[in-house]
Amino acid sequence: MRVLLIHSDYIEYEVKDKALKEPEPIPEEMKKGRMEEVLVAFISVEKVDEKNPEEVVARAVKEIVEVAEQVKTKNVFVYPFAHLSSELAKPSVALEVLKKVEEGLRNAGYNVGRAPFGYYKAFKLSCKGHPLAELSRTIVPEG
Ligand SMILES: Nc1ncnc2c1ncn2[C@@H]1O[C@H](COS(=O)(=O)NC(=O)[C@@H](N)CO)[C@@H](O)[C@H]1O
């Protein structure tokens, strides 16, 4: 799994077209979204993660919580992003993993948003620019 973490004043997105034949079914209210004072986590789920998705989810939640504590935000936005890796997991696995990361962060007490999976989306992001505002993590299952 590749994670790009951007501490932002805001992120906003708008769903455009389908990027997959069968994207995640979403309610009308998920077609646009915005979050403020937020740690945005752009996540590419990788083929290697299919070996132990549970482990990768647990470690991703831990890494994201650590950064959220450092930058002092309780708001996290999970953004499915297929461009941080050339070895992507198949969409069915990727969506499940992303939903579990969202759930894990919520269980850790964070306000969590997530962008819809399998769509082309327009987005605007305002990076805060401080020394910890741009970080990345690579998580590979050991087990
Ligand atoms: N492994 C993955 N990790 C994160 N997001 C993914 C992954 N696979 C698919 N997606 C989601 O599905 C969308 C399309 O994925 S994609 O790989 O870019 N494109 C496609 O698969 C098709 N356009 C055929 O190439 C991405 O924008 C993202 O929302």
Side-chain angles (χ1 to χ4, degrees):
M1 179 188 282
R2 302 289 173 126
V3 184
L4 173 64
L5 296 164
I6 306 289
H7 188 204
S8 308
D9 299 312
Y10 69 87
I11 179 164
E12 60 183 51
Y13 74 86
E14 181 180 354
V15 164
K16 296 295 182 185
D17 299 326
K18 289 183 177 180
L20 293 174
K21 267 199 303 295
E22 292 179 12
E24 175 188 12
I26 53 168
E28 195 57 33
E29 62 268 19
M30 256 188 99
K31 291 199 171 156
K32 283 186 181 179
R34 179 183 171 94
M35 241 176 144
E36 315 236 337
E37 294 307 313
V38 58
L39 179 62
V40 182
F42 293 95
I43 298 179
S44 288
V45 183
E46 297 186 285
K47 197 119 203 76
V48 69
D49 301 332
E50 294 177 10
K51 284 188 194 145
N52 194 338
E54 294 74 23
E55 178 194 338
V56 171
V57 167
R59 287 173 54 200
V61 170
K62 184 171 173 293
E63 294 278 359
I64 294 167
V65 165
E66 274 173 18
V67 174
E69 286 171 346
Q70 285 175 325
V71 301
K72 299 181 177 46
T73 183
K74 293 300 283 183
N75 301 327
V76 180
F77 194 81
V78 174
Y79 197 107
F81 201 72
H83 313 289
L84 299 174
S85 170
S86 55
E87 298 284 324
L88 291 176
K90 56 181 185 283
S92 56
V93 171
L95 178 54
E96 271 319 297
V97 165
L98 289 160
K99 283 180 172 177
K100 290 205 170 71
V101 168
E102 176 188 6
E103 184 188 341
L105 290 164
R106 198 163 285 132
N107 293 342
Y110 287 83
N111 308 309
V112 190
R114 181 171 63 78
F117 182 96
Y119 298 90
Y120 296 115
K121 297 176 283 299
F123 73 90
K124 291 194 180 101
L125 181 69
S126 168
C127 173
K128 286 182 176 289
H130 60 69
L132 293 177
E134 299 166 279
L135 297 168
S136 65
R137 295 287 186 271
T138 298
I139 298 162
V140 180
E142 279 149 20

